[in-house]
Amino acid sequence: MRKFPLILIFSLVAIAAGGWNIKEKYKGPKTPTTDTSWHPDILPDYEARYVNQGEAFDGPCRSTIVRKLNPKKSHKAFLYIHGFNDYFFQGEMGQRFVDSGFNFYAVDLRRYGRSKEPWQYPYNIRKQEEYFADIDSALSQIRRDGNTDITLGGHSTGGLTVSLFGAVRGKDVGVDRIVTDSPFLEWNFSSFMRNIAIPVVGFYGKMFKNTKVPQGHCDGYAYSLLKEYYGEWEYNTDWKMTYSPPVTTSWINAINSAQSKLMKKRKNITVPILVMHSSRKIDGCNYTPEFQTGDAVLDPFMLQKQGEKLGSVREVCAIDSGLHDLILSKEKARNAAYDTMFSFIRRY
């Protein structure tokens, strides 16, 4: 989550509620998805299927399960939940898990990537718990596929979601362990912003849910990822945008509320949890080579502090020179992240 100017916090009351920050608002029919059969995915050697998640605040919604099954029979599965302004495109990740004896699954959450419907504002949410249904659907599929040892993983806002999932569900979480990659456990803001300004915006978001808050026009993180610039990766920039779109005040309230609820219920996490983060924080907006050496989105030191409060069996560790999404880091750092994940899974 990139920083947005403080002035925007206090100018929200002057912004009209509602409005779409796209060229044209959708005016067609809202037809729910009914085709839930498996089909070849956009990623080679993966398959996907939609899950009809019923009626949401903005109409019918769906999630998408993506999977890559191990050709050798396995009862172990890893389920991956992406972050904000994101979707599952990390084919290398799934292959690494398959090569290590797992069945691999990922979810494109409602309003993201494969799952986004034309009438939906991207990434919008009222409560973080709305994503629990998307996770439950994937876990049901994983169990139907014969898996009995399940690891639930998440990156950034996905890391917050899976941690909250563990805290709310407690002993009924239905997975054996939780793995997080730079989980969004705290805002990358000053104490004043975290404790006063953000809660004010969150309260405003309860009443005027669709008010938009612009993000900074920053390219540093995206340029550090995209192969066409300075990174190693190719992905759909309509789904994972180079410049983060405006977020709604209800999204801000959902994140803030989820962080607070997680800390209140943190001791309810009954399964082992891994919190990985970068070894250094990167400040700035536009790309410099330094963006390849640390987290340009969240503050790793805040993640360390909050991560050490989660559950009773935990590991919190820094990946040297890792990017915000550790598995998209340079080879040495991402190998360290994979080694850390697999070692954690073996121990617990």
Side-chain angles (χ1 to χ4, degrees), residues 74 89 96 123 143 182 194 214 224 233 251 297 312 334:
S74 175
F89 65 91
R96 290 222 190 192
Y123 325 140
R143 295 187 189 102
S182 303
R194 296 195 310 272
S224 71
W233 311 100
W251 182 91
V297 179
S312 57
R334 73 175 182 266

Side-chain angles (χ1 to χ4, degrees), residues 46 52 104 132 160 167 210 217 271 274 277 334:
Y46 284 79
N52 188 335
F104 180 84
F132 287 7
L160 170 62
N210 290 322
H217 198 69
V271 296
L274 172 66
H277 58 79
R334 73 175 182 266

Side-chain angles (χ1 to χ4, degrees), residues 205-327:
K206 294 178 181 179
M207 298 179 290
F208 303 101
K209 297 179 173 63
N210 290 322
T211 300
K212 306 299 186 299
V213 181
Q215 305 299 288
H217 198 69
C218 297
D219 59 34
Y221 182 51
Y223 281 20
S224 71
L225 300 180
L226 283 164
K227 192 173 184 178
E228 64 182 289
Y229 297 106
Y230 306 100
E232 302 178 40
W233 311 100
E234 295 178 313
Y235 52 79
N236 185 337
T237 53
D238 288 331
W239 291 353
K240 183 177 176 65
M241 302 177 198
T242 301
Y243 300 101
S244 178
V247 295
T248 62
T249 48
S250 68
W251 182 91
I252 292 173
N253 182 59
I255 293 293
N256 201 54
S257 298
Q259 290 172 342
S260 297
K261 190 171 187 177
L262 172 60
M263 288 301 115
K264 290 176 183 177
K265 293 180 171 289
R266 62 189 185 275
K267 296 301 182 183
N268 290 354
I269 300 175
T270 58
V271 296
I273 183 167
L274 172 66
V275 177
M276 299 186 296
H277 58 79
S278 177
S279 61
R280 60 176 58 86
K281 175 184 175 182
I282 304 299
D283 290 314
C285 184
N286 298 117
Y287 180 84
T288 66
E290 191 180 26
F291 275 81
Q292 298 283 3
T293 66
D295 192 329
V297 179
L298 298 180
D299 185 340
F301 307 106
M302 289 183 178
L303 305 189
Q304 173 85 25
K305 179 181 177 181
Q306 297 298 84
E308 289 175 347
K309 301 174 183 178
L310 300 181
S312 57
V313 179
R314 80 185 74 85
E315 289 187 15
V316 184
C317 64
I319 303 300
D320 186 35
S321 302
L323 301 184
H324 175 56
D325 192 336
L326 297 168
I327 63 168

Side-chain angles (χ1 to χ4, degrees), residues 158-197:
L160 170 62
T161 301
V162 300
S163 300
L164 182 65
F165 186 82
V168 171
R169 294 291 175 84
K171 61 182 177 59
D172 298 319
V173 66
V175 300
D176 296 278
R177 62 199 68 81
I178 295 171
V179 167
T180 66
D181 168 356
S182 303
F184 194 177
L185 303 179
E186 186 61 277
W187 296 94
N188 185 13
F189 293 130
S190 68
S191 177
F192 170 78
M193 290 287 285
R194 296 195 310 272
N195 297 318
I196 298 177

